């Protein structure tokens, strides 16, 4: 992801800055998706693994990145509170 774009992006709800998901975070998220335990903020089950994502710096919401484009729709966010044992980074 382009560093300049990352510098200006923020969560559309909380306005918190974002950072790329680390490998451990991405692996934990995809494990939970594979187990069918992940929903979007809107309540839709996430069925497809995520190849790249952004997380708010307060560690509360994840947004997926598709083909290098962040999907910053509030209803598409994934709350980390539902992910038991989600790594710190």
């Amino acid at each position: 992801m382009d560093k300049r774009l990352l510098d200006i992006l923020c969560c559309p709800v909380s306005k918190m800055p974002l950072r790329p998901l680390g490998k451990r975070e991405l692996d934990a998220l995809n494990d939970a998706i594979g187990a069918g335990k992940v929903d979007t903020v809107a309540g839709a089950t996430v069925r497809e693994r995520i190849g790249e994502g952004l997380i708010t710096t307060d560690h509360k919401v994840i947004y997926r990145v598709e083909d290098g484009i962040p999907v910053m729709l509030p209803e598409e966010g994934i709350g980390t509170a539902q992910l038991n044992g989600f790594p710190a980074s």
Side-chain angles (χ1 to χ4, degrees):
M1 163 146 305
D2 186 302
K3 171 81 169 111
R4 292 174 295 173
L5 177 59
L6 190 58
D7 286 343
I8 62 171
L9 284 178
C10 66
C11 174
V13 177
S14 69
K15 306 303 183 216
M16 291 293 300
L18 298 162
R19 66 167 178 80
L21 278 176
K23 180 175 176 6
R24 287 183 346 135
E25 293 166 323
L26 192 58
D27 290 345
L29 175 60
N30 282 323
D31 288 347
I33 290 170
K37 298 180 179 180
V38 179
D39 293 329
T40 64
V41 172
T45 301
V46 178
R47 301 191 191 290
E48 293 186 30
R49 294 175 59 85
I50 293 175
E52 186 178 2
L54 300 173
I55 188 168
T56 56
T57 55
D58 65 0
H59 211 248
K60 292 184 180 179
V61 182
I62 297 169
Y63 294 95
R64 72 183 187 282
V65 176
E66 292 182 359
D67 297 323
I69 301 168
V71 180
M72 302 298 298
L73 301 170
E75 64 272 11
E76 292 292 324
I78 298 169
T80 59
Q82 67 185 314
L83 305 171
N84 294 331
F86 191 68
S89 63

